[in-house]
Amino acid sequence: MALRLVSDFDLRKDVLPWLRAQRVASAAAGARGGGPGVLENNYESLRILNVERNGNVIYTYKDNKGNVFFGLYDSQTRQNEHLYTFEKDLHVVSCSVNSDRTLLAASLVHSTKEGRKNELQPGSKCLTLLVEIHPVNNVKVLKAVDSYIWVQFLYPHVESHPLPENHLLLVSEEKYIEKFHIQVIQEDGSRVVIKDSGHLPRERVAEDFVWAQWDMSEQRLYYIDLKKSRSILKCLQFSADEKFNLMFEAPLDITLSDSGFKLVNFGCDDLQDQENLSKHLTLCVFTNHTALLNTFLLLGSLCVCYSPKFDSWEKFTYSVFYFHKGHGKTFTAALGSVDSHVTKGLTFLNLDYYLAVYLPGHFFHLLNIQHPDLICHSLFLTGNSEVVDMLPHSPLQSLSGSLVLDWCSGKLYRALLNQSYLLQFLWNARLDCEKMAVLHCVLSCGGDRRFLEAKIIQWISENISACHSFDLIQEFIIASSYWSICPETSNMDKLLPYSSVLTWNTEIPGITLVTEEIALPFMKVHSFKGYWEKLNSNLEYVKYSKPHLHYNNSMVRREWHSLISEEKTGRRRSMVYVKNILDNATKVISNLEARNLEPRLTPLFQEEDNHQRLLMGLMVSELKDHLLRHLQGVEKKKIEQMVLDYVSKLLDLVCQIMETSWRKHSLHPCVPHFSGRASAAEFKVFHIMTRILEATKSLFLPLPPDLDNTEKNEKLKFSIIVRLPPLIGQKICRLWDHPMSSNIISRNHVKRLLQNYKKKPPSSVIHKSSFSVEFLPLNYFVEILTDIECSNQALYAFEGHDNVDAKFVEEAALKHTMMLLGL
């Protein structure tokens, strides 16, 4: 399927065997209590409570007596550990463990009949406890209130040694968030206890909010408060020293009720009726960093995904606010039959360069977040597609990054795009918009780029004429060159072209959209690092960089024509300038040759052609100047190498397409001979060559130079024309201003006029020849042609070429005769 879910954790496989082993060991020792307890057959009580920043999973289960056990699965060692046991029949609302595993915070409510008072604290509905677990020791009551409480320990960004102070967030259903400062000390060797547990300092972090989301990986808190009925999104960043800063405020054009309350990613909340998720609004924030060869490329994206309460069986509406781009899009997806009821909630997933939005059984939308302007760069599939049918039908909870939780099955996954499946889907895609979106999606996945490009080129060669909305070859060359360079350097996505398509007006079946500009986040700090530096750069770009800074070849085109013109008129730039350009071309060719492990079959870019070398060198020179102007903080040598790699990549892709075509049709590794009849294979290769020429024309890439009209080249061009299908050959002749073309056009015109000719009495009108040459056979023949043209003008008009007539034939015949006679 389009999504590949790689399992990180499975309650049934990673925890249950350990619990059964513990039960057997306890029974053998005759144990009564202690350890993980006797689980008996109460396995259905086993569920995940939380996933901490280090990937450790906290879970809970009950024995047959209702006692509540807490366990931890270590994601590094893949071992389980028993943390604590409450010998009461309680229901766990929330739980968190500090990074040193010395403290456990939990909030619990009584799990018996509604209305029964909590036995531990009479009159309270929810009990929030802080427990010393290294070893199990004191229990401190943090809260005993009538509203639900959620707990979350802060984790340091660098885990090196045990911390003397821990920090715990308490989120109240009463719409406030507190941070507790908890100091610990060691006693009797390794025993860890809370220092001055009777007076734990606390501070108010946020209040009067209606929605909050925790980002465990980046240690960020997002929340929304209402000011004058307007939703304001805020973000708190908790730093390594456990301080926090308000990073930004951003207005959101969504409707929220001040009586509402919703939390995202504060553990695994099962208080809501999960079967009725479709009746509730969905709101989540996604930011991105992309793993690349053990490093992280910061994209600086900030997306807010929102879906209002579901109120129609015929359509589903959701919005994505691309704050890093300065606009938002509201999508309306048709659900098809009114009988296809929506019983599951909408799922948003974070997939690096993409966001996945899907409604189980109805639609799947893969949204491009780096280049969201055109809908054709995002993939939309309806419920009729097998891709939608193959997606998980249980609701997935998107945690930090690409981590997702299937709470129904107790499984934790890494959600990735399935590159091999998308390649297969590319062959079966029907719509141009699907081909465009999947092409970019496949390239964004990375991997063995040479293998990937070979697969795509194979697809292009089989579907060369299958796209009508865009040029497949051109799009592939631009997109693949972009993805080969941009992931390596920040901000390159703003400077290099991403696609050959600049506008898209074709409707996509099953979905409509409305795009609106949105207010940018107001940054509340002035010093930025990491993600915040990149986000701020994106926001500055949206504010001040219009029109866009994407490189185009207009400067190369003007400069190249100027150099050629100067060469023809005898004027030249300085020798140093021209030498530098030609040196650039030499480096490109050398780099191009180094990319190939075996000799090429096609002789592209091997000619010693000065004009071709000038164009190649100018591409390097102009792109380097463009990047030096706009790419800040990157060394000049690195920019020069990137430019060299990018230009080489453009040309290498052209060579790859040619090579693939020649090898597929087993052509000889030299220029084809045109003396004999063309084979079917040669014609197919020639067709692809013409499409390459058409695709690269607007890109202004250096291709083999135009042939002049020497005798050798004339024969070559003529042999090509006569081997083409007649209609194509006629079109080519109209473009080639040469006596040979005139001869072919004249022959075709005469053939059309005479194919239904019936001899008639001579006309009384005498048509004078346009030449003063008295050549009676020609004069008589031209008179016949003129007479046919006059009497059948409507029938024999030469479509698209009204100037072809008897006079044209006469002139062509005389010129051809004079040429044969050497006059």
Side-chain angles (χ1 to χ4, degrees):
M1 57 182 178
L3 287 181
R4 185 161 60 95
L5 299 178
V6 181
S7 179
D8 268 15
F9 171 79
D10 185 341
L11 270 178
R12 300 290 172 183
K13 294 181 179 179
D14 296 318
V15 176
L16 264 184
W18 177 76
L19 292 178
R20 290 191 176 110
Q22 294 294 312
R23 183 187 66 178
V24 172
S26 296
R32 295 294 184 268
V38 182
L39 188 62
E40 298 293 341
N41 296 320
N42 199 21
Y43 294 121
E44 66 273 7
S45 67
L46 182 64
R47 64 185 179 93
I48 295 175
L49 289 176
N50 202 355
V51 181
E52 301 288 8
R53 184 175 185 270
N54 53 16
N56 292 345
V57 180
I58 304 172
Y59 54 88
T60 185
Y61 55 92
K62 291 183 179 182
D63 64 6
N64 58 333
K65 297 179 182 179
N67 297 330
V68 180
F69 297 86
F70 292 90
L72 180 142
Y73 175 81
D74 191 311
S75 63
Q76 299 298 318
T77 65
R78 308 190 78 80
Q79 299 293 317
N80 287 279
E81 175 184 342
H82 172 243
L83 297 176
Y84 190 73
T85 302
F86 281 106
E87 295 182 350
K88 297 289 182 181
D89 189 4
L90 301 170
H91 179 81
V92 184
V93 176
S94 177
C95 180
S96 184
V97 176
N98 67 341
S99 60
D100 299 328
R101 298 189 208 172
T102 58
L103 299 174
L104 179 144
S107 59
L108 309 102
V109 294
H110 210 282
S111 60
T112 54
K113 294 181 180 179
E114 186 177 356
R116 181 175 173 182
K117 302 298 183 183
N118 191 299
E119 295 180 1
L120 295 177
Q121 289 290 323
S124 65
K125 173 183 173 183
C126 184
L127 189 68
T128 305
L129 304 176
L130 183 63
V131 186
E132 299 169 353
I133 59 173
H134 190 74
V136 173
N137 197 27
N138 297 321
V139 177
K140 175 176 174 55
V141 178
L142 295 178
K143 292 277 186 180
V145 293
D146 286 335
S147 57
Y148 285 108
I149 298 290
W150 288 262
V151 293
Q152 177 62 57
F153 273 105
L154 299 183
Y155 272 57
H157 286 263
V158 178
E159 298 182 22
S160 54
H161 53 80
L163 297 174
E165 186 171 79
N166 293 270
H167 302 267
L168 177 69
L169 295 181
L170 262 67
V171 184
S172 171
E173 193 180 17
E174 297 295 325
K175 301 181 180 179
Y176 66 85
I177 302 176
E178 291 181 326
K179 186 172 83 159
F180 281 76
H181 303 262
I182 308 164
Q183 286 193 326
V184 295
I185 56 175
Q186 286 191 347
E187 293 181 351
D188 302 329
S190 61
R191 181 181 176 189
V192 177
V193 298
I194 300 171
K195 180 182 179 181
D196 195 13
S197 61
H199 299 86
L200 296 180
R202 71 179 76 177
E203 59 183 313
R204 188 63 62 96
V205 170
E207 55 189 358
D208 298 329
F209 66 92
V210 295
W211 172 94
Q213 174 181 321
W214 176 246
D215 185 334
M216 65 162 183
S217 177
E218 303 302 326
Q219 298 286 280
R220 297 180 191 137
L221 173 67
Y222 302 95
Y223 65 97
I224 293 176
D225 62 21
L226 300 179
K227 292 183 177 179
K228 297 180 180 179
S229 300
R230 193 180 189 191
S231 301
I232 305 295
L233 174 67
K234 299 181 180 180
C235 176
L236 298 180
Q237 175 72 69
F238 294 89
S239 56
D241 59 4
E242 310 307 332
K243 294 180 180 179
F244 63 91
N245 292 302
L246 176 61
M247 301 304 296
F248 69 77
E249 294 183 354
L252 276 176
D253 187 17
I254 61 176
T255 302
L256 295 177
S257 170
D258 57 4
S259 62
F261 178 81
K262 185 173 177 62
L263 297 180
V264 178
N265 292 346
F266 278 93
C268 307
D269 182 14
D270 68 339
L271 294 177
Q272 293 181 351
D273 181 1
Q274 299 288 357
E275 289 301 318
N276 291 318
L277 282 176
S278 62
K279 297 179 181 178
H280 301 281
L281 66 86
T282 304
L283 180 64
C284 53
V285 177
F286 289 141
T287 60
N288 287 71
H289 61 255
T290 298
L292 181 70
L293 300 178
N294 299 321
T295 62
F296 288 100
L297 174 66
L298 296 172
L299 303 181
S301 62
L302 174 60
C303 295
V304 176
C305 304
Y306 168 71
S307 176
K309 293 181 180 180
F310 181 71
D311 59 1
S312 171
W313 295 117
E314 298 178 358
K315 59 184 180 180
F316 206 102
T317 299
Y318 53 97
S319 300
V320 178
F321 302 96
Y322 304 92
F323 279 105
H324 59 293
K325 295 294 183 179
H327 67 259
K329 294 181 182 290
T330 298
F331 303 93
T332 301
L335 297 183
S337 173
V338 295
D339 296 328
S340 57
H341 288 181
V342 177
T343 59
K344 307 294 184 182
L346 192 69
T347 297
F348 293 101
L349 298 179
N350 195 347
L351 300 169
D352 292 336
Y353 295 104
Y354 289 84
L355 288 178
V357 185
Y358 80 90
L359 191 64
H362 292 275
F363 66 82
F364 173 78
H365 200 177
L366 200 57
L367 291 165
N368 189 323
I369 62 172
Q370 195 173 18
H371 297 279
D373 295 347
L374 302 184
I375 194 172
C376 61
H377 293 144
S378 298
L379 177 65
F380 181 80
L381 301 172
T382 64
N384 297 325
S385 169
E386 65 173 7
V387 176
V388 177
D389 294 334
M390 294 171 67
L391 291 169
H393 278 233
S394 56
L396 296 180
Q397 180 179 344
S398 185
L399 306 179
S400 184
S402 60
L403 197 65
V404 296
L405 172 67
D406 184 343
W407 61 267
C408 291
S409 64
K411 294 179 181 179
L412 198 62
Y413 298 102
R414 298 280 171 181
L416 307 170
L417 289 173
N418 191 337
Q419 190 180 56
S420 60
Y421 183 87
L422 289 169
L423 269 174
Q424 179 185 347
F425 181 82
L426 195 59
W427 285 86
N428 301 320
R430 297 179 299 102
L431 304 177
D432 284 1
C433 57
E434 293 177 352
K435 296 168 188 173
M436 168 79 78
V438 175
L439 174 63
H440 282 275
C441 193
V442 167
L443 289 169
S444 74
C445 294
D448 185 344
R449 190 157 294 278
R450 201 73 176 181
F451 170 81
L452 185 61
E453 289 167 350
K455 289 291 185 182
I456 296 175
I457 289 172
Q458 182 184 358
W459 169 70
I460 290 175
S461 64
E462 295 291 334
N463 297 273
I464 195 72
S465 301
C467 276
H468 305 287
S469 304
F470 66 97
D471 189 299
L472 270 180
I473 294 177
Q474 192 176 85
E475 188 67 18
F476 168 66
I477 291 174
I478 293 177
S480 190
S481 300
Y482 170 92
W483 285 109
S484 70
I485 297 294
C486 282
E488 299 177 3
T489 306
S490 181
N491 289 325
M492 286 291 282
D493 58 303
K494 303 181 183 68
L495 301 177
L496 291 179
Y498 175 78
S499 172
S500 64
V501 176
L502 301 180
T503 59
W504 186 273
N505 298 318
T506 306
E507 291 186 0
I508 294 181
I511 191 169
T512 59
L513 73 91
V514 175
T515 302
E516 295 179 323
E517 288 191 4
I518 58 176
L520 297 179
F522 178 69
M523 304 304 292
K524 305 292 286 187
V525 296
H526 303 288
S527 179
F528 305 100
K529 290 183 180 179
Y531 164 80
W532 297 111
E533 181 180 10
K534 176 62 176 172
L535 174 62
N536 187 63
S537 172
N538 287 339
L539 298 178
E540 293 295 305
Y541 176 80
V542 173
K543 288 179 187 176
Y544 305 115
S545 299
K546 295 182 179 180
H548 296 304
L549 299 179
H550 285 137
Y551 174 78
N552 63 71
N553 55 18
S554 58
M555 281 296 296
V556 174
R557 189 187 301 269
R558 287 195 297 267
E559 185 69 3
W560 186 76
H561 283 304
S562 177
L563 285 173
I564 300 303
S565 176
E566 291 173 4
E567 183 183 75
K568 290 179 179 179
T569 58
R571 294 182 292 113
R572 258 304 198 174
R573 305 283 178 92
S574 70
M575 293 301 296
V576 175
Y577 174 75
V578 176
K579 182 179 182 301
N580 286 338
I581 293 176
L582 295 177
D583 286 346
N584 289 338
T586 301
K587 293 177 183 176
V588 170
I589 292 174
S590 177
N591 199 20
L592 199 57
E593 293 174 349
R595 292 171 178 261
N596 301 289
L597 302 178
E598 56 186 34
R600 293 190 188 274
L601 290 177
T602 53
L604 282 179
F605 311 118
Q606 297 176 13
E607 304 90 354
E608 290 292 336
D609 181 80
N610 195 54
H611 290 178
Q612 188 186 66
R613 297 293 176 94
L614 281 175
L615 179 54
M616 200 177 294
L618 278 173
M619 291 172 63
V620 174
S621 177
E622 293 296 333
L623 180 56
K624 183 174 69 174
D625 290 346
H626 178 74
L627 296 186
L628 286 172
R629 280 194 301 270
H630 302 294
L631 198 58
Q632 305 298 323
V634 181
E635 294 181 356
K636 183 179 179 181
K637 285 187 177 180
K638 184 176 181 180
I639 289 178
E640 290 175 346
Q641 186 60 47
M642 284 192 300
V643 170
L644 185 61
D645 290 341
Y646 182 77
V647 174
S648 301
K649 186 67 178 180
L650 287 170
L651 305 183
D652 178 58
L653 291 171
V654 176
C655 293
Q656 281 192 60
I657 298 172
M658 285 285 291
E659 284 287 304
T660 300
S661 178
W662 281 47
R663 291 183 186 279
K664 177 182 177 181
H665 297 287
S666 303
L667 293 191
H668 194 269
C670 62
V671 178
H673 296 289
F674 293 98
S675 55
R677 185 175 179 84
S679 66
E682 286 179 316
F683 180 77
K684 289 180 179 178
V685 171
F686 180 78
H687 177 59
I688 290 177
M689 291 170 67
T690 60
R691 295 302 298 264
I692 293 173
L693 181 64
E694 182 181 348
T696 56
K697 185 177 180 181
S698 64
L699 299 179
F700 208 63
L701 296 181
L703 290 175
D706 295 334
L707 300 177
D708 59 18
N709 287 328
T710 61
E711 182 178 355
K712 179 181 178 181
N713 288 339
E714 282 185 353
K715 289 182 178 179
L716 177 61
K717 287 189 279 189
F718 181 69
S719 64
I720 293 173
I721 291 174
V722 296
R723 297 167 75 193
L724 292 174
L727 290 178
I728 297 178
Q730 291 175 24
K731 292 179 180 179
I732 298 275
C733 287
R734 296 173 198 169
L735 300 174
W736 185 21
D737 185 14
H738 188 270
M740 195 175 293
S741 291
S742 301
N743 192 11
I744 294 172
I745 294 172
S746 298
R747 288 175 182 271
N748 290 330
H749 182 64
V750 170
K751 182 180 178 180
R752 291 188 62 180
L753 289 177
L754 297 182
Q755 62 185 356
N756 296 317
Y757 172 66
K758 293 181 180 179
K759 189 173 181 180
K760 297 178 181 180
S763 172
S764 59
V765 180
I766 300 177
H767 301 279
K768 290 292 183 180
S769 170
S770 58
F771 285 84
S772 58
V773 179
E774 291 295 334
F775 183 42
L776 295 180
L778 178 61
N779 292 349
Y780 179 69
F781 181 60
V782 169
E783 286 181 13
I784 293 175
L785 296 180
T786 304
D787 187 57
I788 296 174
E789 287 175 346
C790 292
S791 59
N792 301 281
Q793 186 173 2
L795 182 61
Y796 293 108
F798 201 96
E799 184 179 353
H801 223 77
D802 296 334
N803 60 329
V804 177
D805 53 14
K807 180 180 178 182
F808 180 90
V809 172
E810 181 183 31
E811 292 177 355
L814 287 173
K815 288 180 181 178
H816 184 64
T817 302
M818 293 173 68
M819 182 178 67
L820 292 176
L821 296 176
L823 300 178

